[in-house]
Amino acid sequence: EIIPGITNEVLHEVKRMWKSFSIRLYVPLIDMQHLWLIKMVVELEHALTSKYEERLTQLTGLLPDVKQYIAEHFAAEEYMMDALEYPVREGHKRQHSTFVSTVTSHDAEYATRTRHGASVLVHDLKEWLLSHIVIEDAKFARLCRDKHDLAVKVSKQLIQEKKVQFRKAQILLYQYIVGQGSV
């Protein structure tokens, strides 16, 4: 493993998606969170190809983390939107809320232990995440670049107040994907 806890297969798929969808927003805090969400979705996709018992164990372990991390990411992003006075933040927040409802609905379907429920959940997570980052979050990222100093200040504040916390693996993933490809 290049990064502890992340298989090389997952790492290479995250890197492929990052580059082919041009996901980087140049807001390090948000980019780091997006990379971690993509990593989690790739792990969920890989779990779908496992045998039933293994798939059940993997999905049952991953789904609560994904839901919790989505909530943490949305809270941080929305905090930044408020601080930077993003003019269309209410619409963006509604998209987040709608997505959380969708994930909750699919998660309930998955709770019935159907492969279909899990497949739909993972598919929707991936599609929404990619389209939302590429379209909606890119608009917000432009404001972050325009208000760079304030965006940096707010990012640091989120970290200092422990509203955002990064695991060592997240930092290594960010360095590997965004940096020169080595840690």
Side-chain angles (χ1 to χ4, degrees), residues 132-158:
H132 184 78
I133 292 170
V134 171
I135 297 167
E136 297 303 325
D137 286 351
K139 295 174 189 174
F140 176 58
R142 281 193 285 282
L143 177 67
C144 290
R145 288 191 297 274
D146 291 345
K147 295 184 174 186
H148 177 264
D149 292 343
L150 181 56
V152 169
K153 180 182 174 186
V154 172
S155 294
K156 286 180 181 179
Q157 180 183 357
L158 284 165

Side-chain angles (χ1 to χ4, degrees), residues 1-9 11-12 172 176 181-183:
E1 291 180 344
I2 297 170
I3 299 173
I6 303 174
T7 67
N8 289 344
E9 185 179 10
L11 182 62
H12 293 299
L172 293 173
Y176 180 80
S182 61
V183 262

Side-chain angles (χ1 to χ4, degrees), residues 2-174:
I2 297 170
I3 299 173
I6 303 174
T7 67
N8 289 344
E9 185 179 10
V10 168
L11 182 62
H12 293 299
E13 179 61 12
V14 170
K15 189 173 187 175
R16 185 197 67 73
M17 289 173 66
W18 184 260
K19 289 180 184 271
S20 56
F21 291 100
S22 300
I23 297 172
R24 187 173 184 187
L25 300 178
Y26 297 91
V27 179
L29 182 138
I30 294 173
D31 281 341
M32 214 182 275
Q33 288 185 322
H34 284 165
L35 271 168
W36 199 252
L37 284 166
I38 292 166
K39 186 234 18 135
M40 294 172 102
V41 168
V42 169
E43 288 175 337
L44 287 170
E45 279 187 313
H46 285 259
L48 289 176
T49 63
S50 302
K51 293 179 182 171
Y52 177 78
E53 288 299 323
E54 187 178 338
R55 178 176 72 240
L56 185 61
T57 301
Q58 290 173 344
L59 292 175
T60 302
L62 286 168
L63 285 172
D65 290 344
V66 170
K67 287 174 26 179
Q68 186 258 329
Y69 200 77
I70 286 170
E72 181 181 311
H73 168 63
F74 286 172
E77 194 174 275
E78 290 173 7
Y79 184 91
M80 287 187 74
M81 285 180 197
D82 289 339
L84 274 65
E85 299 179 347
Y86 184 46
V88 293
R89 64 186 174 266
E90 293 310 316
H92 197 111
K93 289 177 182 182
R94 276 193 300 278
Q95 289 179 11
H96 287 171
S97 179
T98 300
F99 180 66
V100 168
S101 296
T102 300
V103 169
T104 301
S105 170
H106 288 326
D107 189 41
E109 183 180 348
Y110 167 69
T112 65
R113 302 293 184 238
T114 65
R115 182 179 176 92
H116 175 73
S119 296
V120 170
L121 174 60
V122 172
H123 177 267
D124 285 358
L125 268 170
K126 182 178 178 181
E127 292 300 314
W128 190 89
L129 183 64
L130 292 174
S131 65
H132 184 78
I133 292 170
V134 171
I135 297 167
E136 297 303 325
D137 286 351
K139 295 174 189 174
F140 176 58
R142 281 193 285 282
L143 177 67
C144 290
R145 288 191 297 274
D146 291 345
K147 295 184 174 186
H148 177 264
D149 292 343
L150 181 56
V152 169
K153 180 182 174 186
V154 172
S155 294
K156 286 180 181 179
Q157 180 183 357
L158 284 165
I159 293 167
Q160 289 168 347
E161 293 176 3
K162 298 191 185 295
K163 292 179 180 174
V164 172
Q165 296 182 36
F166 294 110
R167 299 171 183 105
K168 183 174 182 171
Q170 285 177 272
I171 295 166
L172 293 173
L173 177 63
Y174 178 79

